[in-house]
């Protein structure tokens, strides 16, 4: 059974959500502040965290930062509309997605499913299946001074190795495979986040910005991963 940790200090919302999610077949643990959440995460290793950003004692963004030091667990932030700055900070700290309050239950469930499905497609940590012996076919993608070893999850920019979180790596892989071609925002979101991804494209923009900070000499004047106005993005060949 999928275990969710719901971190929310508003009692009514926490209890209502816990009830709704339990009815959907999830096992739900709750925490009412950031400190309790961090203890619960360490002790129970949930499969997914729903994280309110406005929390007493330890804020949601602080929880996010702490968790990402040691864990890759999916995090969906629960945020208020006027918290754009915190949303961006949270995404940059490695949260997977966010929903803005008030959100509908179907919307939240769709996001949970999308994030979980994505994770199950891309196992991290434990080796998936037998490790091939001998020389496995190796795939290296190259464009724009970037070299990517897809299998080993390694990346070089102008010959220097750089690290990149999973989601950005996948996004860049998709762009590399289509180097020289424009990919629309919908195509990118579809392929990386899943076709039932709701909501706006801010998440995509943040990920693009994070990629640029690693591959561009001047991220404000991108020459490798360029915006094609009104269409989408292109990685130059
Ligand atoms: Ca709150």
């Amino acid at each position: 059974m999928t275990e969710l940790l719901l971190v929310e200090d508003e009692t009514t919302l926490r209890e209502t959500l816990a009830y709704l999610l339990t009815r959907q077949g999830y096992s739900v643990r709750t925490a009412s502040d950031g400190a309790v959440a961090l203890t619960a995460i360490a002790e129970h290793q949930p499969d997914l965290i729903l994280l309110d950003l406005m929390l007493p004692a330890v804020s949601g963004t602080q929880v996010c930062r702490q968790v990402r030091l040691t864990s890759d667990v999916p995090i969906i932030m629960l945020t208020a509309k006027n918290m754009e700055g915190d949303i961006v900070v949270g995404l940059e700290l490695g949260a997977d997605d966010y929903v803005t309050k008030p959100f509908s239950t179907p919307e939240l469930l769709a996001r949970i499913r999308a994030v979980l499905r994505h994770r199950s497609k891309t196992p991290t940590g434990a080796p998936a299946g037998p490790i091939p012996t001998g020389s496995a076919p190796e795939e290296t993608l190259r464009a724009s001074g970037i070299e990517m070893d897809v299998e080993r999850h390694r990346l070089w920019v102008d010959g220097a190795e750089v690290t990149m979180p999973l989601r950005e790596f996948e996004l860049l892989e998709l762009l590399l495979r289509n180097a020289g071609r424009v990919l629309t925002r919908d195509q990118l979101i579809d392929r990386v986040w899943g076709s039932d991804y709701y909501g706006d494209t801010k998440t995509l923009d943040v990920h693009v910005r994070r990629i640029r900070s690693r591959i561009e000499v001047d991220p404000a004047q991108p020459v490798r991963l360029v915006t094609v106005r009104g269409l989408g993005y292109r990685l130059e060949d």
Side-chain angles (χ1 to χ4, degrees):
M1 192 187 264
T2 305
E3 286 198 22
L4 308 184
L5 175 68
L6 168 63
V7 189
E8 171 61 68
D9 61 319
E10 288 156 62
T11 309
T12 311
L13 181 57
R14 185 177 64 243
E15 287 175 355
T16 310
L17 265 184
Y19 172 75
L20 288 169
L21 292 166
T22 306
R23 286 201 13 172
Q24 292 293 321
Y26 294 109
S27 159
V28 183
R29 205 177 288 279
T30 60
S32 56
D33 70 52
V36 173
L38 287 170
T39 309
I41 293 160
E43 277 178 11
H44 304 291
Q45 283 130 30
D47 299 305
L48 184 144
I49 301 170
L50 296 170
L51 180 62
D52 179 29
L53 286 190
M54 291 276 276
L55 291 169
V58 182
S59 77
T61 47
Q62 282 172 285
V63 171
C64 197
R65 180 183 287 121
Q66 274 297 118
V67 169
R68 278 293 171 265
L69 294 176
T70 56
S71 163
D72 203 23
V73 59
I75 299 174
I76 298 176
M77 300 180 286
L78 311 177
T79 72
K81 243 197 189 77
N82 56 359
M83 291 186 52
E84 197 128 313
D86 285 19
I87 293 170
V88 172
V89 169
L91 290 170
E92 285 176 348
L93 287 171
D96 293 78
D97 203 352
Y98 68 93
V99 287
T100 307
K101 297 175 191 173
F103 47 81
S104 68
T105 311
E107 181 186 4
L108 180 64
L109 291 172
R111 302 266 178 129
I112 291 173
R113 279 195 298 270
V115 167
L116 289 173
R117 190 177 50 243
H118 175 80
R119 288 292 164 138
S120 63
K121 269 195 313 197
T122 52
T124 53
I131 295 163
T133 51
S135 55
E138 286 174 19
E139 188 176 21
T140 304
L141 304 173
R142 287 187 191 84
S144 236
I146 301 162
E147 227 182 286
M148 176 183 280
D149 181 335
V150 179
E151 284 297 301
R152 293 189 177 79
H153 193 91
R154 295 179 73 181
L155 184 72
W156 294 264
V157 178
D158 295 330
E161 182 155 16
V162 297
T163 58
M164 190 170 276
L166 184 62
R167 197 73 72 105
E168 278 111 280
F169 191 89
E170 288 179 346
L171 197 54
L172 184 58
E173 178 190 342
L174 189 59
L175 288 156
L176 276 165
R177 288 190 190 283
N178 294 279
R181 294 214 296 268
V182 180
L183 292 175
T184 66
R185 310 168 72 80
D186 284 349
Q187 284 173 322
L188 290 166
I189 290 171
D190 222 63
R191 295 280 294 278
V192 179
W193 282 270
S195 55
D196 62 354
Y197 184 81
Y198 270 69
D200 59 42
T201 57
K202 197 177 292 130
T203 305
L204 175 63
D205 297 335
V206 171
H207 280 76
V208 166
R209 200 152 70 229
R210 278 154 55 170
I211 292 174
R212 282 177 173 155
S213 73
R214 289 176 159 90
I215 67 168
E216 299 284 354
V217 175
D218 177 3
Q221 309 280 334
V223 295
R224 290 172 163 149
L225 175 45
V226 298
T227 304
V228 182
R229 206 161 289 284
L231 268 181
Y233 294 103
R234 179 179 64 228
L235 188 79
E236 299 293 10
D237 208 351

